[in-house]
Amino acid sequence: MTATTSQASAPVPAGAAAAVRDYLDLPGPRGWPVLGNIGQFDRRSFHLSVEAGVAQWGPMFRFRYGRMRVMVVSDPALTHALLKDRPQNWLRGTRLSKLLSSLGPRGVFSAEGDDWRRQRKLVTRGLNPEVIRKFHPQLAELCLRLVRRWSQADAATAPAPDLMRDIKALTLDVTVALAMGEDVNTLEHADNPLPMDIHRLFERIGARLRSPVPYWRWFKLAPDRQADAAVARVQTAVGGFVDRARARLQAQPALRERPGNLMEAFVAARDEADSGVSDTDVIGNAMTMVFAGEDTTSSTLCWAVYLLAQHPAVAATLAAEVDALLGEQRVPPDTACLEHLPYTEAVVHEVLRLKPAAPMMALESTQERIVGGVRVPAGVLVMMPMRERRCAPRPLPRRLSSAPNAGWASSTWPATHSAG
């Protein structure tokens, strides 16, 4: 199926053709009054329940989660077209935006409309190649910490490292350093209060997303009160980071043109005349970058380690490519080296295909629209599973077909991964 943006999502015209199906005509699980299909979807592995629904009811089906009406779209071409139609005609979802706003200042991820455009201008000032290149030396040093930690674990008397814990700690250190300009060193100091508060907020966001009723709007349980206290502490800490970044810019004016991290870029943009940006916007987007980058990156790296361990031939080919480029060096000396690691890049893309960091995405329309020939009322949440249920192995991209030792197709990944 091939769908253009206009074909995938269009407002309902007056006298729409009768051939268009109604949302209520879609198949789906039978629910209960008021509760809908609560109890039929695993709250801890919601994406797996949705994928199972695709297998049972097809690429488009509907269900109700309490008061929330949901339409699932699993066709890749239609999903692509819908995502391209944002932000003009679709919101990320009012539920998600309200949830994120309840746990801190708005950032680009929770903003919509004109506010989103304003926030996006701020974020694009920081996410540019020059900032990433200047950040590379600090990134290399953070990665060397992990190398030293795992090298020490090679000793016969050393305990085996907790790979998942260390990878999550490293990615948090990297994202905080990039987004906020601070070295929290969670890898070596697990008792640092800032990372602990950030993880507490991650847990609360996940719990609230899975909750069918937003009870915290009316009363707070102990975890909610702890999350509120964590928000206050994080905002206070990030406010201090803003002040320190501003002091660095004043001491080194050249940093305004060539900032070394996102925080310096955000503060430089905020301090421009008539920027329309406040310190609250800076804090919100610095926090957003951490929330968006830490868990997604650590999840992808953990799955990569797992999949490479399952497929030693692929791991050996990847290691040979890296060794040939770096020799005795433990980390790449600059970002330009990445252009010479095509097999490694292919492995990363395949991990993301098999185990996407965000297994589902959701959109919501503010007006009635036709989606894939289905009339969708305003307020219905369109959920889109982002991975293939049965992930068949694929050959290397054509541009790598002649690369030395590229035997990707002969060292295939598993055909299915149903665990997560």
Side-chain angles (χ1 to χ4, degrees), residues 12-42:
V12 177
V20 173
R21 287 191 295 169
D22 190 80
Y23 163 77
L24 294 175
D25 294 332
L26 291 174
R30 189 172 182 177
W32 294 88
V34 182
L35 297 178
N37 302 106
I38 292 175
Q40 299 175 28
F41 287 78
D42 187 339

mmCIF file of all heavy atoms in Angstrom, residues 12-42:
data_model
loop_
_atom_site.group_PDB
_atom_site.id
_atom_site.type_symbol
_atom_site.label_atom_id
_atom_site.label_comp_id
_atom_site.label_asym_id
_atom_site.label_seq_id
_atom_site.Cartn_x
_atom_site.Cartn_y
_atom_site.Cartn_z
ATOM 1 N N VAL A 12 -12.865 15.813 6.573
ATOM 2 C CA VAL A 12 -14.065 15.223 5.988
ATOM 3 C C VAL A 12 -14.836 16.297 5.228
ATOM 4 O O VAL A 12 -15.272 17.288 5.822
ATOM 5 C CB VAL A 12 -14.956 14.614 7.089
ATOM 6 C CG1 VAL A 12 -16.243 14.078 6.481
ATOM 7 C CG2 VAL A 12 -14.212 13.506 7.815
ATOM 8 N N PRO A 13 -14.998 16.155 3.889
ATOM 9 C CA PRO A 13 -15.745 17.161 3.133
ATOM 10 C C PRO A 13 -17.241 16.987 3.318
ATOM 11 O O PRO A 13 -17.720 15.925 3.729
ATOM 12 C CB PRO A 13 -15.330 16.854 1.692
ATOM 13 C CG PRO A 13 -15.044 15.384 1.693
ATOM 14 C CD PRO A 13 -14.485 15.070 3.058
ATOM 15 N N ALA A 14 -17.971 18.046 3.018
ATOM 16 C CA ALA A 14 -19.427 17.969 3.075
ATOM 17 C C ALA A 14 -19.908 16.936 2.058
ATOM 18 O O ALA A 14 -19.447 16.899 0.925
ATOM 19 C CB ALA A 14 -20.029 19.338 2.774
ATOM 20 N N GLY A 15 -20.837 16.098 2.472
ATOM 21 C CA GLY A 15 -21.358 15.067 1.586
ATOM 22 C C GLY A 15 -20.322 14.041 1.212
ATOM 23 O O GLY A 15 -20.230 13.629 0.059
ATOM 24 N N ALA A 16 -19.481 13.615 2.173
ATOM 25 C CA ALA A 16 -18.423 12.643 1.908
ATOM 26 C C ALA A 16 -19.023 11.358 1.347
ATOM 27 O O ALA A 16 -20.135 10.964 1.679
ATOM 28 C CB ALA A 16 -17.662 12.343 3.198
ATOM 29 N N ALA A 17 -18.243 10.675 0.515
ATOM 30 C CA ALA A 17 -18.710 9.482 -0.164
ATOM 31 C C ALA A 17 -19.105 8.410 0.834
ATOM 32 O O ALA A 17 -18.452 8.214 1.858
ATOM 33 C CB ALA A 17 -17.609 8.942 -1.086
ATOM 34 N N ALA A 18 -20.183 7.718 0.528
ATOM 35 C CA ALA A 18 -20.681 6.683 1.421
ATOM 36 C C ALA A 18 -19.711 5.520 1.524
ATOM 37 O O ALA A 18 -19.772 4.726 2.459
ATOM 38 C CB ALA A 18 -22.047 6.189 0.922
ATOM 39 N N ALA A 19 -18.780 5.391 0.545
ATOM 40 C CA ALA A 19 -17.833 4.291 0.559
ATOM 41 C C ALA A 19 -16.844 4.395 1.708
ATOM 42 O O ALA A 19 -16.208 3.417 2.092
ATOM 43 C CB ALA A 19 -17.069 4.249 -0.767
ATOM 44 N N VAL A 20 -16.701 5.602 2.268
ATOM 45 C CA VAL A 20 -15.799 5.779 3.404
ATOM 46 C C VAL A 20 -16.368 5.052 4.627
ATOM 47 O O VAL A 20 -17.521 5.231 4.991
ATOM 48 C CB VAL A 20 -15.619 7.281 3.708
ATOM 49 C CG1 VAL A 20 -14.828 7.463 5.001
ATOM 50 C CG2 VAL A 20 -14.916 7.963 2.564
ATOM 51 N N ARG A 21 -15.525 4.235 5.258
ATOM 52 C CA ARG A 21 -15.969 3.518 6.453
ATOM 53 C C ARG A 21 -15.980 4.448 7.656
ATOM 54 O O ARG A 21 -15.215 5.405 7.725
ATOM 55 C CB ARG A 21 -15.042 2.339 6.744
ATOM 56 C CG ARG A 21 -15.196 1.166 5.805
ATOM 57 C CD ARG A 21 -14.430 -0.040 6.352
ATOM 58 N NE ARG A 21 -12.996 0.207 6.390
ATOM 59 C CZ ARG A 21 -12.110 -0.588 7.007
ATOM 60 N NH1 ARG A 21 -12.540 -1.652 7.668
ATOM 61 N NH2 ARG A 21 -10.829 -0.312 6.974
ATOM 62 N N ASP A 22 -16.810 4.113 8.627
ATOM 63 C CA ASP A 22 -16.846 4.872 9.865
ATOM 64 C C ASP A 22 -15.923 4.210 10.882
ATOM 65 O O ASP A 22 -15.711 2.981 10.845
ATOM 66 C CB ASP A 22 -18.268 4.937 10.417
ATOM 67 C CG ASP A 22 -18.380 5.923 11.566
ATOM 68 O OD1 ASP A 22 -18.471 7.131 11.288
ATOM 69 O OD2 ASP A 22 -18.358 5.480 12.728
ATOM 70 N N TYR A 23 -15.389 5.009 11.786
ATOM 71 C CA TYR A 23 -14.528 4.490 12.850
ATOM 72 C C TYR A 23 -15.193 3.332 13.583
ATOM 73 O O TYR A 23 -14.552 2.321 13.906
ATOM 74 C CB TYR A 23 -14.189 5.641 13.806
ATOM 75 C CG TYR A 23 -13.661 5.227 15.154
ATOM 76 C CD1 TYR A 23 -12.341 4.808 15.301
ATOM 77 C CD2 TYR A 23 -14.476 5.266 16.287
ATOM 78 C CE1 TYR A 23 -11.851 4.431 16.545
ATOM 79 C CE2 TYR A 23 -13.991 4.899 17.534
ATOM 80 C CZ TYR A 23 -12.677 4.477 17.657
ATOM 81 O OH TYR A 23 -12.206 4.111 18.882
ATOM 82 N N LEU A 24 -16.496 3.444 13.844
ATOM 83 C CA LEU A 24 -17.208 2.402 14.586
ATOM 84 C C LEU A 24 -17.363 1.111 13.787
ATOM 85 O O LEU A 24 -17.716 0.070 14.354
ATOM 86 C CB LEU A 24 -18.575 2.915 15.029
ATOM 87 C CG LEU A 24 -18.552 4.054 16.052
ATOM 88 C CD1 LEU A 24 -19.968 4.548 16.323
ATOM 89 C CD2 LEU A 24 -17.880 3.598 17.346
ATOM 90 N N ASP A 25 -17.103 1.167 12.470
ATOM 91 C CA ASP A 25 -17.196 -0.044 11.648
ATOM 92 C C ASP A 25 -15.930 -0.895 11.729
ATOM 93 O O ASP A 25 -15.920 -2.034 11.234
ATOM 94 C CB ASP A 25 -17.449 0.323 10.183
ATOM 95 C CG ASP A 25 -18.809 0.984 9.979
ATOM 96 O OD1 ASP A 25 -19.720 0.687 10.773
ATOM 97 O OD2 ASP A 25 -18.936 1.796 9.042
ATOM 98 N N LEU A 26 -14.878 -0.375 12.305
ATOM 99 C CA LEU A 26 -13.630 -1.129 12.386
ATOM 100 C C LEU A 26 -13.777 -2.296 13.348
ATOM 101 O O LEU A 26 -14.520 -2.226 14.331
ATOM 102 C CB LEU A 26 -12.490 -0.226 12.867
ATOM 103 C CG LEU A 26 -12.012 0.863 11.914
ATOM 104 C CD1 LEU A 26 -10.981 1.749 12.606
ATOM 105 C CD2 LEU A 26 -11.411 0.253 10.653
ATOM 106 N N PRO A 27 -13.048 -3.386 13.104
ATOM 107 C CA PRO A 27 -13.066 -4.505 14.052
ATOM 108 C C PRO A 27 -12.291 -4.144 15.313
ATOM 109 O O PRO A 27 -11.547 -3.159 15.357
ATOM 110 C CB PRO A 27 -12.363 -5.625 13.273
ATOM 111 C CG PRO A 27 -11.429 -4.899 12.340
ATOM 112 C CD PRO A 27 -12.165 -3.629 11.937
ATOM 113 N N GLY A 28 -12.461 -4.956 16.333
ATOM 114 C CA GLY A 28 -11.743 -4.712 17.575
ATOM 115 C C GLY A 28 -12.309 -5.545 18.696
ATOM 116 O O GLY A 28 -13.352 -6.204 18.549
ATOM 117 N N PRO A 29 -11.654 -5.538 19.847
ATOM 118 C CA PRO A 29 -12.127 -6.351 20.974
ATOM 119 C C PRO A 29 -13.416 -5.794 21.574
ATOM 120 O O PRO A 29 -13.626 -4.590 21.610
ATOM 121 C CB PRO A 29 -10.976 -6.264 21.978
ATOM 122 C CG PRO A 29 -10.318 -4.948 21.667
ATOM 123 C CD PRO A 29 -10.436 -4.779 20.181
ATOM 124 N N ARG A 30 -14.239 -6.682 22.028
ATOM 125 C CA ARG A 30 -15.481 -6.282 22.683
ATOM 126 C C ARG A 30 -15.171 -5.795 24.092
ATOM 127 O O ARG A 30 -14.420 -6.425 24.835
ATOM 128 C CB ARG A 30 -16.448 -7.460 22.734
ATOM 129 C CG ARG A 30 -17.843 -7.081 23.202
ATOM 130 C CD ARG A 30 -18.789 -8.269 23.026
ATOM 131 N NE ARG A 30 -20.148 -7.928 23.417
ATOM 132 C CZ ARG A 30 -21.178 -8.752 23.307
ATOM 133 N NH1 ARG A 30 -20.990 -9.976 22.807
ATOM 134 N NH2 ARG A 30 -22.380 -8.371 23.668
ATOM 135 N N GLY A 31 -15.711 -4.639 24.455
ATOM 136 C CA GLY A 31 -15.389 -4.052 25.751
ATOM 137 C C GLY A 31 -16.556 -4.028 26.710
ATOM 138 O O GLY A 31 -17.656 -4.488 26.405
ATOM 139 N N TRP A 32 -16.302 -3.449 27.888
ATOM 140 C CA TRP A 32 -17.297 -3.313 28.933
ATOM 141 C C TRP A 32 -17.828 -1.884 28.958
ATOM 142 O O TRP A 32 -17.141 -0.954 28.537
ATOM 143 C CB TRP A 32 -16.678 -3.633 30.298
ATOM 144 C CG TRP A 32 -16.253 -5.056 30.442
ATOM 145 C CD1 TRP A 32 -15.054 -5.595 30.105
ATOM 146 C CD2 TRP A 32 -17.030 -6.135 30.961
ATOM 147 N NE1 TRP A 32 -15.017 -6.937 30.376
ATOM 148 C CE2 TRP A 32 -16.236 -7.303 30.916
ATOM 149 C CE3 TRP A 32 -18.337 -6.232 31.471
ATOM 150 C CZ2 TRP A 32 -16.690 -8.541 31.353
ATOM 151 C CZ3 TRP A 32 -18.782 -7.470 31.908
ATOM 152 C CH2 TRP A 32 -17.965 -8.601 31.846
ATOM 153 N N PRO A 33 -19.044 -1.675 29.448
ATOM 154 C CA PRO A 33 -19.521 -0.305 29.628
ATOM 155 C C PRO A 33 -18.582 0.464 30.557
ATOM 156 O O PRO A 33 -18.070 -0.084 31.532
ATOM 157 C CB PRO A 33 -20.916 -0.496 30.258
ATOM 158 C CG PRO A 33 -21.326 -1.875 29.854
ATOM 159 C CD PRO A 33 -20.063 -2.676 29.819
ATOM 160 N N VAL A 34 -18.370 1.705 30.245
ATOM 161 C CA VAL A 34 -17.529 2.626 31.029
ATOM 162 C C VAL A 34 -16.057 2.239 30.947
ATOM 163 O O VAL A 34 -15.209 3.036 30.538
ATOM 164 C CB VAL A 34 -17.963 2.733 32.515
ATOM 165 C CG1 VAL A 34 -17.083 3.746 33.245
ATOM 166 C CG2 VAL A 34 -19.429 3.116 32.612
ATOM 167 N N LEU A 35 -15.708 1.003 31.309
ATOM 168 C CA LEU A 35 -14.302 0.595 31.350
ATOM 169 C C LEU A 35 -13.710 0.364 29.973
ATOM 170 O O LEU A 35 -12.499 0.493 29.780
ATOM 171 C CB LEU A 35 -14.153 -0.686 32.181
ATOM 172 C CG LEU A 35 -14.530 -0.584 33.658
ATOM 173 C CD1 LEU A 35 -14.381 -1.947 34.322
ATOM 174 C CD2 LEU A 35 -13.669 0.453 34.354
ATOM 175 N N GLY A 36 -14.539 0.039 28.989
ATOM 176 C CA GLY A 36 -14.015 -0.281 27.665
ATOM 177 C C GLY A 36 -13.201 -1.554 27.699
ATOM 178 O O GLY A 36 -13.656 -2.589 28.201
ATOM 179 N N ASN A 37 -11.962 -1.485 27.210
ATOM 180 C CA ASN A 37 -11.123 -2.678 27.110
ATOM 181 C C ASN A 37 -10.018 -2.710 28.160
ATOM 182 O O ASN A 37 -9.024 -3.435 28.001
ATOM 183 C CB ASN A 37 -10.515 -2.767 25.705
ATOM 184 C CG ASN A 37 -11.570 -2.796 24.624
ATOM 185 O OD1 ASN A 37 -11.775 -1.807 23.918
ATOM 186 N ND2 ASN A 37 -12.290 -3.910 24.516
ATOM 187 N N ILE A 38 -10.178 -1.915 29.227
ATOM 188 C CA ILE A 38 -9.230 -1.986 30.335
ATOM 189 C C ILE A 38 -9.217 -3.414 30.872
ATOM 190 O O ILE A 38 -10.249 -4.029 31.084
ATOM 191 C CB ILE A 38 -9.621 -0.997 31.452
ATOM 192 C CG1 ILE A 38 -9.437 0.446 30.970
ATOM 193 C CG2 ILE A 38 -8.792 -1.242 32.712
ATOM 194 C CD1 ILE A 38 -9.904 1.471 31.970
ATOM 195 N N GLY A 39 -8.056 -3.954 31.095
ATOM 196 C CA GLY A 39 -7.925 -5.333 31.547
ATOM 197 C C GLY A 39 -7.577 -6.276 30.424
ATOM 198 O O GLY A 39 -7.050 -7.362 30.668
ATOM 199 N N GLN A 40 -7.873 -5.884 29.188
ATOM 200 C CA GLN A 40 -7.529 -6.722 28.041
ATOM 201 C C GLN A 40 -6.168 -6.337 27.453
ATOM 202 O O GLN A 40 -5.656 -7.042 26.586
ATOM 203 C CB GLN A 40 -8.614 -6.600 26.968
ATOM 204 C CG GLN A 40 -9.983 -7.052 27.446
ATOM 205 C CD GLN A 40 -11.063 -6.801 26.399
ATOM 206 O OE1 GLN A 40 -10.804 -6.779 25.202
ATOM 207 N NE2 GLN A 40 -12.286 -6.589 26.857
ATOM 208 N N PHE A 41 -5.615 -5.202 27.905
ATOM 209 C CA PHE A 41 -4.314 -4.753 27.432
ATOM 210 C C PHE A 41 -3.355 -4.708 28.613
ATOM 211 O O PHE A 41 -3.663 -4.107 29.653
ATOM 212 C CB PHE A 41 -4.421 -3.359 26.786
ATOM 213 C CG PHE A 41 -5.086 -3.379 25.447
ATOM 214 C CD1 PHE A 41 -6.462 -3.469 25.333
ATOM 215 C CD2 PHE A 41 -4.332 -3.316 24.282
ATOM 216 C CE1 PHE A 41 -7.084 -3.486 24.098
ATOM 217 C CE2 PHE A 41 -4.937 -3.336 23.038
ATOM 218 C CZ PHE A 41 -6.316 -3.422 22.946
ATOM 219 N N ASP A 42 -2.215 -5.358 28.455
ATOM 220 C CA ASP A 42 -1.214 -5.424 29.516
ATOM 221 C C ASP A 42 -0.604 -4.044 29.721
ATOM 222 O O ASP A 42 0.048 -3.499 28.837
ATOM 223 C CB ASP A 42 -0.112 -6.425 29.124
ATOM 224 C CG ASP A 42 0.879 -6.683 30.256
ATOM 225 O OD1 ASP A 42 0.971 -5.842 31.166
ATOM 226 O OD2 ASP A 42 1.550 -7.718 30.203
#
